[in-house]
Amino acid sequence: MAKRDYYEVLEVEKSASEDEIKKAYRRQAIKFHPDKNPGDHTAEDKFKEAAEAYEVLSNADKRAKYDRFGHQGMGGNGGFGGGGGMNMEDIFSNFGDVFGFDIFGNRGGGGGRGGRQTYRGSNLRIKVNMKLDEIAKGAEKKIKVKKDISCEHCGGSGAENKNATKTCTTCNGSGQIRRIANTPLGQMYTTTTCNTCHGEGQIITDKCKICHGDGRVKGEEVITLNIPAGVTDGVQLSMSGKGNAAPKGGVPGDLIIVIEEEGHPLLKRDGANIVFELNVNFADAALGTSLEVPTIDG
């Protein structure tokens, strides 16, 4: 798919100043930030697209080259090797200072990833057997999945009650420690995860008696699967947010459904076609005859 114009991505005029471009990028980044849109791949793509546009337009040399030659002047891609292959951690480490404060209003961070620790649950993979008639028409299946679920007692927070947490005094709630070191090349800034709160920004003073502070317990969930017609053996479908719950109320993982096609006693599948082997004797083959053959419906 063709890349969009970088000015269009940031919604600014070509005459926009450096400060206007920075503010425009900040608006787009906050709007499509992954922590505000968990599981939304479209929002994540737009977040990467905005970062790529800002990486070019915030650099005077790259901007001049882009204004003259367009995307071709960028060698076919923008920052970080292009929007499709961008590394999210690179975006946060390079542009975290653009925000000034994160999307949740916490000073000193670049959002849940650049500031406070954001947990994500692991993905689950299950196999679902499909009969030939189900594959032909599509099917709705209800399955019971054993997995990590959010603790109902604490709402996934890991704290016994709403007053059982306090802001980390080491990092002042940012989840990170910033240090300044004087070097022959000048002052160098380093940012590390806070060892006291492990990047969470909060400390639990009284852990939940059910999940013991993790925010998750073992459980099960009945999930309805709407499987479209025409799936093939081995194809994988994904349900966002239906995997294992994350610690401390983070973003749940995805559920991966692997289709296994059951064999039919009489019919065989050949792509979109159904094959039935019919044996006829020489006389019927020579003179013609009328015979019944099975179909998916009977």
Side-chain angles (χ1 to χ4, degrees):
M1 192 174 78
K3 289 179 179 289
R4 287 201 298 157
D5 180 79
Y6 287 150
Y7 293 100
E8 179 185 345
V9 170
L10 297 183
E11 298 179 356
V12 295
E13 299 294 333
K14 288 191 174 182
S15 59
S17 65
E18 182 179 341
D19 187 58
E20 288 173 330
I21 289 174
K22 185 174 183 178
K23 289 180 179 178
Y25 168 60
R26 185 177 181 278
R27 286 195 301 269
Q28 295 295 313
I30 290 175
K31 181 178 179 181
F32 298 114
H33 197 287
D35 292 337
K36 288 191 68 176
N37 303 275
D40 189 339
H41 298 299
T42 300
E44 183 173 323
D45 289 341
K46 290 185 176 180
F47 181 82
K48 292 179 180 180
E49 185 182 44
E52 181 180 328
Y54 177 71
E55 200 272 342
V56 172
L57 299 184
S58 62
N59 183 291
D61 292 336
K62 290 184 179 180
R63 182 178 180 180
K65 188 180 292 185
Y66 176 76
D67 287 345
R68 186 175 180 184
F69 301 107
H71 291 295
Q72 292 300 319
M74 301 295 102
N77 54 47
F80 306 109
M86 296 176 78
N87 184 295
M88 296 297 286
E89 298 304 322
D90 284 343
I91 297 175
F92 289 113
S93 62
N94 279 274
F95 303 142
D97 61 332
V98 172
F99 299 104
F101 55 88
D102 69 27
I103 58 174
F104 303 109
N106 302 307
R107 292 282 173 181
R113 296 169 185 254
R116 292 185 178 181
Q117 172 71 35
T118 299
Y119 295 101
R120 190 182 190 281
S122 59
N123 294 339
L124 277 177
R125 185 183 299 269
I126 61 170
K127 293 181 179 180
V128 175
N129 292 329
M130 297 280 290
K131 296 180 179 179
L132 198 56
D133 61 323
E134 294 176 322
I135 291 175
K137 301 175 182 178
E140 179 181 286
K141 289 180 173 285
K142 290 186 177 181
I143 58 172
K144 186 179 290 186
V145 180
K146 293 184 178 180
K147 62 178 186 175
D148 294 332
I149 61 175
S150 181
C151 176
E152 292 186 0
H153 182 72
C154 66
S157 68
E160 180 62 23
N161 54 63
K162 63 180 181 180
N163 297 319
T165 61
K166 67 177 183 179
T167 300
C168 176
T169 55
T170 303
C171 64
N172 295 320
S174 69
Q176 293 188 333
I177 303 297
R178 192 178 189 188
R179 294 183 174 88
I180 303 175
N182 292 316
T183 71
L185 300 177
Q187 288 187 327
M188 301 291 290
Y189 295 84
T190 60
T191 303
T192 58
T193 301
C194 177
N195 290 326
T196 303
C197 65
H198 305 291
E200 296 175 21
Q202 299 285 325
I203 296 176
I204 298 176
T205 56
D206 185 12
K207 293 182 179 180
C208 171
K209 293 179 173 59
I210 304 299
C211 66
H212 307 292
D214 184 69
R216 303 174 298 176
V217 294
K218 295 293 183 182
E220 58 186 25
E221 180 183 0
V222 176
I223 298 175
T224 301
L225 307 177
N226 291 305
I227 302 175
V231 293
T232 57
D233 186 67
V235 73
Q236 296 186 13
L237 308 175
S238 177
M239 293 186 71
S240 179
K242 289 297 183 179
N244 282 315
K248 309 293 178 62
V251 181
D254 298 336
L255 178 65
I256 311 299
I257 303 106
V258 182
I259 302 299
E260 285 196 344
E261 184 177 325
E262 293 184 2
H264 192 279
L266 299 173
L267 304 175
K268 294 181 180 179
R269 182 181 180 186
D270 181 16
N273 301 317
I274 300 298
V275 178
F276 173 69
E277 294 183 1
L278 176 65
N279 296 319
V280 296
N281 58 45
F282 180 80
D284 290 338
L287 301 175
T289 186
S290 178
L291 298 172
E292 286 188 354
V293 297
T295 66
I296 292 177
D297 295 323

